[in-house]
Amino acid sequence: MSAAETTPVIGVFALQGDVREHLAALRAAGAEPREVRRPGELAECAALVIPGGESTTMSKLAHAFGLMEPLRERARAGMPVYGTCAGMIMLADKILDPRSGQETVGGIDMIVRRNAFGRQNESFEAALDFAGIDGGPVEGVFIRAPWVESTGAGVEVLASWDGHPVAVRQGRLLATAFHPELTGDHRVHALFTAMVRAAGDSGR
Ligand code: GLN
């Protein structure tokens, strides 16, 4: 089977957040999604999506379920990970305004500001030009979204809004401040699935 035809097993961090929407989007993008709550389930996946939700709660639960260290190890070892919104925060090496005790998986050399767009703009939609995605702008749904305050040299900015990066990639790690899993447009999940195929391990 050529790499383009494989159906990679992609986990969705399922302790908190909008898990079901990501499972559906991944399936539509040609992957085989699995819910991940325990280290053994993570071990069966070639890649992982960290959904939107609440990053402080995710951090606590990841510790409580023994997932934080395995996640860090796999990400360091080259497992592809895609984080949306709270998931983007989880992939940031640094958060500007963490709640006390809030830790991240890290891996993307960026500083992220939580709830950055402010109260009057808590949720909004914006059409985004997304580098590497053809077929017109991607509709970005932002819900109490973070933005990227600054990035290191190895980070590629794929989309920006209001002067701030809102989609970034560093190697096999992808993060968006918005929620493509909510729009029915599966192009970002397809991009991630292609990254997983290119990483060359179907997980089985
Ligand atoms: N504001 C949330 C956080 O800090 C993220 C919101 C979201 O994922 N929609 O984790």
Side-chain angles (χ1 to χ4, degrees):
M1 219 192 261
S2 79
E5 291 165 316
T6 59
T7 304
V9 175
I10 302 183
V12 178
F13 177 95
L15 294 173
Q16 207 262 338
D18 67 331
V19 175
R20 231 175 329 156
E21 291 81 355
H22 277 290
L23 295 171
L26 286 167
R27 210 169 285 123
E32 184 184 323
R34 295 228 182 120
E35 295 181 27
V36 170
R37 294 187 183 81
R38 302 179 183 283
E41 292 164 346
L42 179 64
E44 288 169 14
C45 297
L48 185 75
V49 168
I50 307 180
E54 181 28 68
S55 56
T56 49
T57 310
M58 281 181 185
S59 162
K60 279 187 206 135
L61 290 173
H63 272 295
F65 282 73
L67 262 182
M68 191 59 111
E69 275 317 310
L71 275 173
R72 287 177 173 149
E73 273 163 36
R74 288 290 304 278
R76 258 198 307 267
M79 174 178 71
V81 186
Y82 171 32
T84 60
C85 201
M88 169 186 253
I89 296 167
M90 290 289 278
L91 287 177
D93 279 349
K94 191 157 185 260
I95 316 172
L96 260 190
D97 47 356
R99 294 252 193 98
S100 72
Q102 181 172 6
E103 289 182 28
T104 68
V105 174
I108 300 185
D109 180 11
M110 63 178 173
I111 301 175
V112 160
R113 183 184 290 276
R114 297 177 57 226
N115 305 319
F117 288 97
R119 282 200 176 280
Q120 66 278 40
N121 227 348
E122 279 203 336
S123 84
F124 61 97
E125 295 189 23
L128 305 166
D129 290 324
F130 197 119
I133 291 187
D134 296 329
V138 170
E139 195 60 24
V141 177
F142 293 80
I143 305 167
R144 293 194 196 96
W147 71 41
V148 178
E149 194 81 20
S150 65
T151 54
V155 180
E156 213 182 325
V157 174
L158 303 177
S160 295
W161 182 251
D162 212 10
H164 298 278
V166 292
V168 294
R169 177 177 177 176
Q170 181 170 15
R172 293 176 181 171
L173 305 179
L174 177 71
T176 60
F178 52 93
H179 294 267
E181 74 280 10
L182 299 180
T183 60
D185 175 353
H186 306 303
R187 287 178 294 166
V188 181
H189 288 79
L191 170 73
F192 182 61
T193 303
M195 283 168 59
V196 179
R197 289 192 181 114
D201 176 3
S202 74
R204 295 183 274 193

